Amino acid sequence: SKSQDPVARFPLQFSANVEIISHLIDETSEFPPRSRHMSIYYDYLAKQARADIEGGYEAAKYYIRRYDNKSEYMVRLPPIDDCKRSYLGESMPFPDLSELLYVGKEKIDSTLCNYFIFDQHSSRIHIYMNAEDDSPVRLIEENILDDVSTPLLTYEYSDVIIGPPSAEWFELPSQFDRSTCVRHVGG
């Protein structure tokens, strides 16, 4: 029965590696690259998030969002080696998955997943969460027009660790502090 269906929950504290694959870019394309890799550190309870983007399409850099102290930082690693800061006035969005429709169980590689779908206008998102611990496994976004599906992006999660990331992940590297990060206004 529907009342027995799993409820989609996004972990409030975790870290993971994520590969983002663009299906609209040819596999042989060097630029822009078809896939990007990043490491994510997410702590909704402490109101902090970080994304480390590997070199490639953009310079190797990372973003730290500190909703707890209304600060956002972008740090570019050497050879650029700089830091920008901005005011972060919004509240950290809660990962609300209440609108997801449960489809069933499905295996992704060797992981048993709860499979959910979210439809909005011409967009459909397929969400696969580990059936044991609710950790994200795969997310696929597609565009649907006249009943024709066009895959856009796939997010592949790996090395997921449920629990709070170390507080050190949300600190600036030792060569920077708030005053040495250039103030940046705008997006």
Side-chain angles (χ1 to χ4, degrees):
S1 80
K2 286 285 181 202
S3 64
Q4 301 297 314
D5 286 349
V7 175
R9 287 186 189 84
F10 196 78
L12 298 182
Q13 297 175 306
F14 78 98
S15 59
N17 292 320
V18 181
E19 179 183 14
I20 304 170
I21 302 159
S22 172
H23 298 285
L24 300 180
I25 297 174
D26 188 274
E27 287 183 43
T28 61
S29 172
E30 285 187 34
F31 190 85
R34 180 177 162 90
S35 78
R36 296 174 59 197
H37 294 83
M38 62 182 67
S39 298
I40 304 291
Y41 305 90
Y42 180 83
D43 192 335
Y44 180 80
L45 301 180
K47 305 292 188 254
Q48 301 172 348
R50 173 174 163 157
D52 292 14
I53 301 171
E54 288 185 16
Y57 180 62
E58 300 184 72
K61 62 181 160 187
Y62 56 89
Y63 294 91
I64 300 173
R65 295 192 120 198
R66 297 284 308 261
Y67 295 90
D68 60 327
N69 65 22
K70 300 187 178 307
S71 301
E72 178 175 31
Y73 297 95
M74 182 202 53
V75 176
R76 291 189 291 184
L77 302 173
I80 298 172
D81 203 28
D82 70 356
C83 177
K84 294 180 181 176
R85 68 178 163 88
S86 342
Y87 175 74
L88 184 60
E90 63 199 56
S91 297
M92 188 172 193
F94 182 77
D96 180 9
L97 304 182
S98 61
E99 300 290 315
L100 300 186
L101 173 69
Y102 177 70
V103 178
K105 302 271 190 224
E106 196 163 309
K107 270 203 166 172
I108 301 292
D109 299 321
S110 61
T111 303
L112 183 63
C113 296
N114 291 320
Y115 171 34
F116 302 92
I117 286 181
F118 177 72
D119 283 312
Q120 188 171 43
H121 309 294
S122 62
S123 177
R124 174 174 286 162
I125 301 174
H126 303 264
I127 299 162
Y128 301 87
M129 307 293 275
N130 186 311
E132 286 185 26
D133 64 9
D134 293 324
S135 62
V137 174
R138 179 180 290 160
L139 186 146
I140 301 169
E141 180 184 3
E142 64 183 350
N143 186 46
I144 299 175
L145 193 59
D146 299 326
D147 294 326
V148 176
S149 166
T150 304
L152 302 175
L153 296 170
T154 295
Y155 297 77
E156 293 280 356
Y157 290 78
S158 61
D159 305 316
V160 179
I161 299 170
I162 299 292
S166 168
E168 296 166 6
W169 288 113
F170 306 106
E171 300 296 329
L172 288 170
S174 59
Q175 71 266 38
F176 298 113
D177 63 34
R178 190 180 188 323
S179 66
T180 60
C181 289
V182 177
R183 186 166 178 263
H184 179 73
V185 179

